[in-house]
Amino acid sequence: MEPVDIYSIFQAILETIEPGSRTLHPSHPPRNSIKLIQRCFTVSDEAVEKLSVLFSEQLLLAALDLIDRDCVVKYISPWGRSHFCVLGMTGSYTVFPSLHKSCLVPSFCTCPAFAYAVLISHSQITCKHVLATLIAQRLSKCVVREIGKEEFVSVLARQNPDI
């Protein structure tokens, strides 16, 4: 199967995920990611099965943990531009959840795992930061912060120190 087909399937699965009324209770975690997904979100059995085929249990759990810990931040500038940042254990990563259709990959993350596993070795279709951002957007679980233009520039500069 070509990568474009996998991304289309992933997008179709994402569209079946809806916000649920339940929340994650880390003190009583389910034994596997499928139970965790069903407990936290309103997801059809078919969507859960498909997510399990596309992503490892470890990646799914890591992405859901980021969402549960409110690590997916959506900055909104005064002119309406959105910028996503995921707060990881070793740093903050900029996530571009939807790139132009002409790009080889539909999303991008500045983390080392994305560079290696997605772009170099092609062993995964995305990293936990992108997966968390896409699911959090779908569930309206991003931490939204409206910021001024000076603060927006500061956020971008912190994310991209080489600029």
Side-chain angles (χ1 to χ4, degrees):
M1 186 179 301
E2 293 182 25
V4 174
D5 293 333
I6 291 172
Y7 296 127
S8 298
I9 291 168
F10 175 45
Q11 189 60 42
I13 294 169
L14 278 176
E15 291 173 6
T16 67
I17 297 173
E18 298 176 358
S21 58
R22 294 168 285 188
T23 58
L24 175 63
H25 299 287
S27 60
H28 304 292
R31 295 192 185 270
N32 64 49
S33 62
I34 292 175
K35 295 293 182 198
L36 177 66
I37 293 168
Q38 289 176 324
R39 182 173 164 185
C40 298
F41 314 114
T42 303
V43 183
S44 71
D45 291 337
E46 184 179 351
V48 170
E49 281 184 45
K50 289 178 182 177
L51 282 171
S52 297
V53 169
L54 292 177
F55 303 105
S56 69
E57 183 173 319
Q58 181 182 2
L59 186 69
L60 281 169
L61 284 172
L64 293 172
D65 182 56
L66 288 169
I67 296 167
D68 188 55
R69 291 187 297 117
D70 293 329
C71 292
V72 180
V73 181
K74 179 180 182 179
Y75 293 103
I76 301 175
S77 70
W79 53 92
R81 173 142 166 69
S82 296
H83 175 79
F84 291 90
C85 175
V86 177
L87 311 172
M89 297 299 273
T90 59
S92 297
Y93 303 105
T94 302
V95 174
F96 301 91
S98 56
L99 299 175
H100 191 270
K101 297 198 186 307
S102 65
C103 295
L104 293 175
V105 291
S107 54
F108 181 79
C109 180
T110 59
C111 76
F114 189 91
Y116 180 76
V118 178
L119 300 177
I120 296 172
S121 72
H122 304 287
S123 60
Q124 294 179 323
I125 64 170
T126 195
C127 68
K128 66 182 179 183
H129 308 108
V130 171
L131 183 58
T133 301
L134 292 169
I135 293 173
Q137 277 186 288
R138 188 74 192 150
L139 297 170
S140 300
K141 295 275 188 182
C142 296
V143 175
V144 178
R145 295 192 181 144
E146 293 185 17
I147 56 177
K149 57 186 171 184
E150 291 83 16
E151 190 178 358
F152 191 73
V153 170
S154 176
V155 167
L156 291 177
R158 279 194 312 267
Q159 295 293 314
N160 305 297
D162 296 333
I163 296 179

